[in-house]
Amino acid sequence: MSLQKRLNLSFMAMIVIPCILFTVALFFLFITFSGTDGVMNSSYQLQNIEKKNTIFSELKLLTTSTPTSFYDENYLSEKARELEELNIALLIRIDDDITFSSNLFSDLPIKNYLTPFGQFVNHVHNSVVIGSQAFKFEQHDFYLPDQREASIFFIKETSPLEQFTAEYLPILLVLLIVIIVLTNGTLSYLVSRSIVKPLKTLQQATENIKSGNLDFKIEEKRKDEIGHLTRDFESMRQKLKHSIEVQQLYEENRKLLISNISHDLKTPITSIKGYVEGLRDGVANTKEKQQKYVSTIYRKANELDALIDELFLFSTLDLNRASFHFEKLNIVHFIQECIDDLSYGLEKSGVQIKFQNPYASSVLVTADPEKLMRVFNNIIQNSIKYIDKDPGQITITLHKAEDLLFVTVEDNGSGIDSDDLPSVFESFYRADKSRNSKTGGTGLGLAISKQIIEAHGGSIWAESTKGMGTAIKFSLKLLETNGDTL
Ligand code: ATP
Ligand code: MG
């Protein structure tokens, strides 16, 4: 439920619940104190009031027309009977004596509560409590012909409800206020808790992030705005953590890169320095020795040059600053050309190369031929370097799948250890950690190949079995094909 809906509902509940509670409370009080009769027979009660008023008026009239009637026991008894039916007692007081009294309530000391002559004020809501009962009095004072002071009393037991209302009205009001305060307080607490609690969790999470701690998790299953906010916060934390981890990895790589570059640059420079010192100090004292020193210096300088070239290419690719010249390329001709270019080196190493093309003479891809040549060169040079069997064998195969062309270069060389396999495409990674074996290499070749293939929209990976051989596979986007045989 949305927060807005929840607030609206709680606002409505704050009004409705006290009303319902108060009405229910009143209803039960009414039932308890009045009984069902009180509820049902209100029209009957009205008739009784009318009857009583008629008798009262009749008696009042008598006070002027025939006041002697107030000495007439029979007449008064009759009226008293009529009134008793209405549950009203009749009392006549002349001077201070009660000259007539109904049987009703005769056991109660009502006399003591009668208002003296001339002092009665008709307070409708005032009732007199005698023992456990409450009574309402009506009084009419008049003078008899002999100037004696006389009073007529109608005494009626008030209904428990009336009595209750009169007595407990302030309590009822307090009860109403208490119900309102409790309901509103509880609802406000519940609603605010459902908002404040997750906000506190978020605040704690923010503090954690501020102090650099990202190793925590906040879970929230709610579907409202706060739930969304918490989930967004959690995904932000995960992304932040991931980006910091990536940054740390980059930092590590950068340090490693600098250390590897320094090492690989230092090695040829140290040997160039050694040979130059040898020439300067006259260690190369014969013509042949001097010739040998100079040609070694030249070879080392060339290595340095090639290394700097590779480094430069790698960094431009890494920074996405290398320019690619994509064109429509027939990969079948292209591979054939690569093989021809490498044939001298292949022959020299005694390695046979096979190109298995199940397709027709033309398979078109989009590629930068110069950059792709580097990839082929590096992969085949690697195979030549690591072939340890006689005869050495390299097989190039093509395979199409949907809009991709997969190229596999497989050799029967030493293979790559499964621990090294995931890392061979990292810059400066060499399975041979000594970095100075006769196989040479900087460990940039496959890293550069990966950058180039990815820039072509493809992917590159290695499969290898130690001691059996290695297969380097990469994909290129197919442009169109002619005369497929498969
Ligand atoms: P560079 O190519 O920069 O001269 P390199 O050949 O050592 O140096 P990569 O081409 O990146 O570097 O290859 C990385 C590592 O992967 C190599 O050092 C080697 O250990 C391993 N490797 C690559 N190709 C093969 C292969 N065909 N057989 C066995 N090991 C290989
Ligand atoms: Mg290489």
Side-chain angles (χ1 to χ4, degrees), residues 47-61:
Q47 279 176 11
N48 282 355
I49 291 167
E50 222 169 276
K51 238 178 185 176
K52 178 214 70 173
N53 285 344
T54 316
I55 299 170
F56 201 52
S57 306
E58 192 188 316
L59 288 174
K60 271 186 192 171
L61 209 67

Side-chain angles (χ1 to χ4, degrees), residues 17-30:
I17 291 176
C19 290
I20 293 174
L21 282 179
F22 192 68
T23 314
V24 169
L26 269 187
F27 178 75
F28 279 111
L29 286 172
F30 192 70

Side-chain angles (χ1 to χ4, degrees), residues 331-332 335 355-359 397-400 405-407:
I331 196 86
V332 180
I335 292 174
F355 177 28
Q356 290 179 341
N357 173 26
Y359 308 104
T397 15
L398 298 183
H399 169 70
K400 285 185 206 170
L405 175 74
F406 291 91
V407 182

Side-chain angles (χ1 to χ4, degrees), residues 378 382 385 445-446:
N378 180 57
N382 279 352
K385 262 197 280 185
L446 286 181

Side-chain angles (χ1 to χ4, degrees), residues 33 42 47-48 88 181 230 269 337 339 399 428:
F33 284 93
S42 54
Q47 279 176 11
N48 282 355
I88 295 171
V181 168
T230 313
I269 286 177
E337 265 173 36
I339 294 171
H399 169 70
F428 290 101

Side-chain angles (χ1 to χ4, degrees), residues 298-451:
Y298 180 71
R299 194 163 42 80
K300 291 284 170 194
N302 271 344
E303 269 178 28
L304 207 57
D305 191 39
L307 172 62
I308 290 167
D309 271 355
E310 282 222 312
L311 266 176
F312 184 67
L313 176 66
F314 175 74
S315 73
T316 49
L317 284 165
D318 203 28
L319 291 167
N320 285 328
R321 290 209 185 131
S323 52
F324 281 82
H325 305 286
F326 291 107
E327 55 186 66
K328 196 193 273 188
L329 186 75
N330 181 355
I331 196 86
V332 180
H333 285 171
F334 177 81
I335 292 174
Q336 206 57 62
E337 265 173 36
C338 284
I339 294 171
D340 291 346
D341 286 354
L342 291 164
S343 58
Y344 174 71
L346 288 163
E347 258 172 48
K348 220 175 94 184
S349 330
V351 175
Q352 296 166 2
I353 193 155
K354 245 198 272 173
F355 177 28
Q356 290 179 341
N357 173 26
Y359 308 104
S361 54
S362 173
V363 177
L364 295 178
V365 292
T366 322
D368 177 334
E370 198 192 312
K371 299 276 189 321
L372 202 58
M373 181 73 86
R374 276 200 98 98
V375 176
F376 267 102
N377 261 338
N378 180 57
I379 296 173
I380 292 170
Q381 292 295 356
N382 279 352
S383 292
I384 295 172
K385 262 197 280 185
Y386 297 103
I387 276 178
D388 54 357
K389 295 177 188 72
D390 198 17
Q393 186 73 52
I394 299 174
T395 314
I396 302 176
T397 15
L398 298 183
H399 169 70
K400 285 185 206 170
E402 292 176 9
D403 59 341
L404 291 177
L405 175 74
F406 291 91
V407 182
T408 306
V409 182
E410 203 170 356
D411 64 47
N412 61 346
S414 59
I416 304 169
D417 204 276
S418 57
D419 290 345
D420 295 314
L421 203 58
S423 313
V424 290
F425 292 95
E426 287 171 16
S427 53
F428 290 101
Y429 192 88
R430 292 178 56 196
D432 168 23
K433 304 286 181 320
S434 66
R435 310 195 68 81
N436 55 11
S437 83
K438 65 176 178 20
T439 47
T442 56
L444 278 173
L446 286 181
I448 289 173
S449 303
K450 186 173 185 244
Q451 304 262 34

